[in-house]
Amino acid sequence: MKRLANGTATFVLMLVLGSMFLAAAAQAKLVRGQPPSYYKKQQSNTEFILEGGLADPMGDLKDELYLVSEDPMANVKGLGQGTGYELGLRIRHYLGDFFAVSPAFHYIRMGAAEGVMDYQGSENLAYNVRSTVYKYGLDFHAFSGGPKSSFRPFLTGGVALAHNVYRDELQYKGVYTTSINAPAFSGGLGIKMKNIELVGEYTYNRFDTPNLPPDEGTMSYNWDFLVVRMAISFGR
């Protein structure tokens, strides 16, 4: 099976990251243009963060789509998803110089599996299989370096509610969609450079359901994914 990347996802991600860079440049220009103050401004304990990045599927998401697999040993739960994108926003509240809590929302769309197949005597029917995750989480961040340092590595970990959405469409046969809510857990490493951040994060996202293919009753599914994201922060 040919695995296709999501071109729209890449285009949207480029727009988001470009906007983030422009916003950062504009903010830096405004700061340089301000006259020096004789009063030291107290640093805020809260900041608002916009995020965007690439999402790489793991587990059953990444395995070859079973519907078009010719391998008898193939994973029957495989969805053949490609690299997609993540968009998110969060509020980070510092409880001290080195620790923060952060409620966050992320939208993750994987690259769809697309192609043509023969189905019940019909030839060359187009198909599209797509997966999406809405992630509502609470993260915890542990920083190194001082609060005013220009380079601060940090650890991130958190818990979330993952709303997992499956959608498939077969030409002339209609659309099938279903969703499953499940707890998810994430962990990763990041670097904060003033108001710009880079983060690599792995999310453990697994659940049981009878509603996904194959139609063999309740089965366990692995929808783990890895995200590499860039972020820009405001307000601190």
Side-chain angles (χ1 to χ4, degrees):
M1 187 199 80
K2 182 177 180 182
R3 185 173 298 169
L4 301 178
N6 192 321
T8 303
T10 302
F11 178 72
V12 171
L13 177 60
M14 292 175 64
L15 286 179
V16 171
L17 294 181
S19 300
M20 291 164 60
F21 275 119
L22 290 175
Q27 186 183 49
K29 184 176 180 181
L30 288 174
V31 171
R32 288 195 301 267
Q34 293 176 350
S37 174
Y38 294 101
Y39 299 96
K40 185 178 179 180
K41 182 180 178 181
Q42 185 176 2
Q43 195 170 30
S44 173
N45 290 329
T46 303
E47 59 186 348
F48 178 76
I49 303 170
L50 297 177
E51 302 177 325
L54 296 177
D56 193 28
M58 300 291 173
D60 300 326
L61 291 175
K62 187 175 184 179
D63 283 352
E64 184 176 10
L65 181 65
Y66 181 73
L67 293 176
V68 294
S69 174
E70 298 177 356
D71 181 2
M73 300 301 293
N75 179 6
V76 296
K77 298 177 288 187
L79 296 183
Q81 303 292 278
T83 299
Y85 66 92
E86 177 195 77
L87 299 175
L89 56 89
R90 71 171 65 247
I91 297 174
R92 180 186 287 144
H93 181 73
Y94 290 84
L95 301 179
D97 291 341
F98 304 101
F99 188 75
V101 295
S102 179
F105 168 76
H106 292 96
Y107 173 83
I108 301 98
R109 167 72 64 85
M110 298 301 174
E114 300 176 311
V116 295
M117 64 178 295
D118 297 338
Y119 180 77
Q120 296 181 348
S122 300
E123 297 182 355
N124 299 326
L125 297 183
Y127 67 85
N128 179 288
V129 178
R130 190 173 76 194
S131 62
T132 305
V133 180
Y134 299 81
K135 184 181 172 188
Y136 307 85
L138 179 65
D139 295 332
F140 303 89
H141 301 151
F143 291 87
S144 64
K148 294 185 178 181
S149 174
S150 60
F151 186 87
R152 302 192 71 190
F154 64 93
L155 296 175
T156 177
V159 296
L161 172 65
H163 181 66
N164 301 287
V165 180
Y166 169 88
R167 180 186 185 275
D168 67 39
E169 181 176 6
L170 184 62
Q171 187 177 8
Y172 309 129
K173 304 297 181 179
V175 175
Y176 173 73
T177 183
T178 187
S179 62
I180 307 95
N181 292 325
F185 308 91
S186 61
L189 299 171
I191 300 173
K192 183 174 179 61
M193 299 167 287
K194 293 296 187 180
N195 66 329
I196 301 295
E197 299 179 16
L198 296 174
V199 178
E201 181 182 77
Y202 189 92
T203 296
Y204 180 96
N205 178 28
R206 305 184 186 188
F207 52 86
D208 297 337
T209 181
N211 298 331
L212 292 182
D215 187 14
E216 299 180 2
T218 300
M219 299 185 72
S220 298
Y221 293 84
N222 176 346
W223 277 28
D224 292 3
F225 56 90
L226 174 67
V227 170
V228 178
R229 73 170 67 102
M230 184 175 181
I232 184 170
S233 61
F234 303 88
R236 191 169 195 259

